[in-house]
Amino acid sequence: MKILIKGGTLVLKDGEQRADLLINGTKIEKISKQISADGCKVINAEGKHVLPGLIDMHVHLREPGFEGKEDIESGCRAAVAGGVTQVCCMPNTNPVCDNAVVVSYIKNRAKEVNLCKVNPIGAITKGEQGESLADIGKMKSAGAVAISDDGKTVANSHVMRLAMEYANDFNLKCLCHCEDASLVDGGVVNEGYNSTLTGLKGSPRAAEDIIIAREIALSESLNIPVHICHVSTYSGVEIIRSAKSRGVKVTAETCPHYFALTDDIITSYDTNTKVNPPVREEKDRLAIIEGLKDGTLDCIVTDHAPHSLKDKQVEYNLAAFGISGIETSFAVSYTYLVKSGKMTLSELSEKLSLAPAQILGLDGGEIREGAIADLTVADLSKKYKIDSAKFYSKGKNTPFNGDEVYGKIEYTLVNGEIKFPF
Ligand code: DOR
Ligand code: ZN
Ligand code: ZN
């Protein structure tokens, strides 16, 4: 059956346009001012916005191994509830996703769950031990879309250089978690005034910046693309901006918590504020927004890192790092970037959908005739309170609980099928 999305405002690459949108099978067949509803299921989008489905290229689905925190089904339910039609999942599972069998397992399970598209990311090294390279070619054949050391930086620069070269031979990018463990040295929050005030151990910006600079140096010297994960520092933004201006093939992502929050929140000692890299200071937050605006930061991801209550209901130093972010990503981004006048909705949509698709060569990310019908319908006028108890994710760990935001997801369609509401 055809689906007609009627009366909505379409968010296109170059602006917004009020039009009807007809879906036939898995594709967008027609976009026009008035399309007849004969023989169609109609979605009334009057007063609502129709966006390309969000593509979140950095999430943790936890399966296999940590199903108490999240599994592929709960993670995908959370994704579509958040307007996300496609995710890329990080390999720090148990067993680690460092071989073709785990890649295939994730893909097969996601197919059974049949909610959003799931693209596995393989580990850079076997067991994430930072020593010998994983079976990158075999993981690619099984469907891995990138490799990453997320959660644990490959400390040995020679190993990272080999990984970039080897991955590039298979046309895969390294997505780099940038953290010098010797400088982090047990730090749990940003090193600064608030770490001193709270007595919580700080982790300096330099811990992140040194590895950002290293990955860029490797990329530049090899002339191989590299992608920097979850940029949180003003100085990291500067390093990437300068590299881009020299033509280095570097792309970078940031997360909603880095442009919406500062480390003032840690004074509550709420462990839901504990995330890696840590939320930093106002000058970092402003630089992240500038970086998004001028293209230094290409895309917005969530680093959705669900944890169970018992991982978070402990003293700050012992709590797990991570924020469950996939259900709040759109609203927090819309509220802090568009509603606040920092960028247009089309610009935000590019950061959330098209840019990640382009970085990883995935299908999707834009609304046009002939494109895949991965779509999100949102009501931007609706103000609501974030309530983590209502999350579909098993991870209720959000620092945004109780915050008022705009931008409610009304429908999520994947391959032309309505996946949300359930
Ligand atoms: O806060 C984080 N949580 N940062 C990471 O790099 C890993 C992630 C996780 O897996 O929980
Ligand atoms: Zn990470
Ligand atoms: Zn991550």
Side-chain angles (χ1 to χ4, degrees):
M1 197 192 0
K2 295 186 179 186
I3 298 179
L4 179 64
I5 304 182
K6 200 149 187 55
T9 301
L10 310 185
V11 181
L12 308 173
K13 256 200 313 201
D14 45 5
E16 297 171 31
Q17 184 191 330
R18 231 193 115 115
D20 293 350
L21 183 153
L22 182 67
I23 298 166
N24 189 0
T26 60
K27 298 277 170 68
I28 299 172
E29 185 172 81
K30 194 173 171 194
I31 294 170
S32 181
K33 283 268 165 272
Q34 278 288 344
I35 302 176
S36 150
D38 285 357
C40 297
K41 175 181 169 55
V42 176
I43 292 177
N44 179 7
E46 206 70 49
K48 311 208 166 121
H49 284 73
V50 185
L51 298 109
L54 275 58
I55 299 177
D56 191 341
M57 63 176 277
H58 186 151
V59 308
H60 297 266
L61 293 181
R62 305 299 191 204
E63 186 178 348
F66 301 111
E67 291 84 356
K69 296 174 190 279
E70 191 81 293
D71 58 35
I72 291 170
E73 183 171 11
S74 62
C76 289
R77 285 178 88 77
V80 294
V84 176
T85 52
Q86 188 157 194
V87 297
C88 303
C89 57
M90 285 298 179
N92 59 342
T93 47
N94 185 20
V96 169
C97 184
D98 63 0
N99 62 75
V101 175
V102 181
V103 171
S104 301
Y105 170 79
I106 294 168
K107 282 192 73 98
N108 290 337
R109 183 67 196 122
K111 209 171 268 174
E112 284 169 13
V113 164
N114 192 25
L115 287 166
C116 67
K117 295 168 187 172
V118 175
N119 307 293
I121 297 167
I124 292 179
T125 58
K126 288 192 178 131
E128 296 187 306
Q129 293 304 301
E131 285 158 15
S132 49
L133 294 186
D135 283 334
I136 297 169
K138 286 186 185 148
M139 291 195 290
K140 159 95 184 197
S141 303
V145 296
I147 57 170
S148 179
D149 57 353
D150 192 46
K152 201 171 169 202
T153 293
V154 171
N156 184 310
S157 305
H158 174 66
V159 173
M160 185 53 103
R161 187 166 88 146
L162 282 177
M164 283 187 194
E165 288 184 300
Y166 203 62
N168 190 54
D169 289 343
F170 293 102
N171 200 22
L172 291 179
K173 274 184 190 157
C174 288
L175 318 182
C176 299
H177 173 103
C178 298
E179 192 177 36
D180 181 322
S182 69
L183 278 176
V184 173
D185 190 29
V188 292
V189 296
N190 178 59
E191 183 181 88
Y193 176 82
N194 283 323
S195 62
T196 305
L197 186 75
T198 54
L200 295 169
K201 187 166 165 55
S203 175
R205 291 185 184 86
E208 181 172 342
D209 299 344
I210 281 171
I211 304 296
I212 295 178
R214 179 193 77 170
E215 313 306 32
I216 285 173
L218 292 173
S219 157
E220 186 166 16
S221 63
L222 299 167
N223 194 27
I224 284 175
V226 71
H227 179 79
I228 307 296
C229 289
H230 43 51
V231 177
S232 73
T233 64
Y234 78 88
S235 33
V237 174
E238 258 318 310
I239 294 167
I240 296 162
R241 182 177 287 126
S242 145
K244 282 193 170 187
S245 75
R246 302 194 294 280
V248 180
K249 295 172 184 160
V250 56
T251 52
E253 63 185 41
T254 191
C255 313
H257 39 277
Y258 301 122
F259 58 74
L261 304 174
T262 69
D263 67 351
D264 285 347
I265 55 168
I266 69 162
T267 56
S268 66
Y269 293 91
D270 176 358
T271 57
N272 291 321
T273 65
K274 183 173 172 182
V275 62
N276 196 15
V279 168
R280 302 199 191 262
E281 297 176 29
E282 183 65 359
K283 71 173 163 187
D284 301 281
R285 193 182 79 82
L286 296 175
I288 297 285
I289 294 173
E290 266 322 297
L292 283 167
K293 279 169 64 173
D294 74 7
T296 301
L297 302 176
D298 301 84
C299 64
I300 298 169
V301 303
T302 59
D303 195 5
H304 177 66
H307 288 292
S308 62
L309 265 183
K310 76 169 177 30
D311 299 321
K312 284 290 194 180
Q313 281 189 342
V314 290
E315 65 183 85
Y316 207 95
N317 286 320
L318 301 177
F321 287 97
I323 290 173
S324 177
I326 206 160
E327 287 171 80
T328 55
S329 167
F330 179 73
V332 172
S333 299
Y334 175 72
T335 304
Y336 283 87
L337 297 176
V338 180
K339 191 90 182 149
S340 66
K342 303 280 195 299
M343 59 173 72
T344 66
L345 186 56
S346 289
E347 286 164 345
L348 174 63
S349 169
E350 189 186 332
K351 302 287 179 194
L352 288 168
S353 300
L354 186 58
Q358 287 174 335
I359 290 167
L360 294 180
L362 306 172
D363 190 19
E366 52 181 331
I367 293 181
R368 57 174 165 75
E369 288 180 357
I372 193 81
D374 288 353
L375 298 163
T376 299
V377 180
D379 186 341
L380 304 181
S381 61
K382 227 179 240 174
K383 185 160 136 187
Y384 71 99
K385 248 191 193 164
I386 291 173
D387 180 359
S388 59
K390 296 211 176 101
F391 280 2
Y392 292 95
S393 170
K394 292 183 189 177
K396 315 298 178 193
N397 47 304
T398 174
F400 295 110
N401 196 35
D403 287 5
E404 290 197 323
V405 287
Y406 290 86
K408 202 151 180 56
I409 305 299
E410 302 272 324
Y411 291 93
T412 304
L413 292 92
V414 180
N415 284 334
E417 285 179 27
I418 299 172
K419 297 296 184 184
F420 179 81
F422 301 115

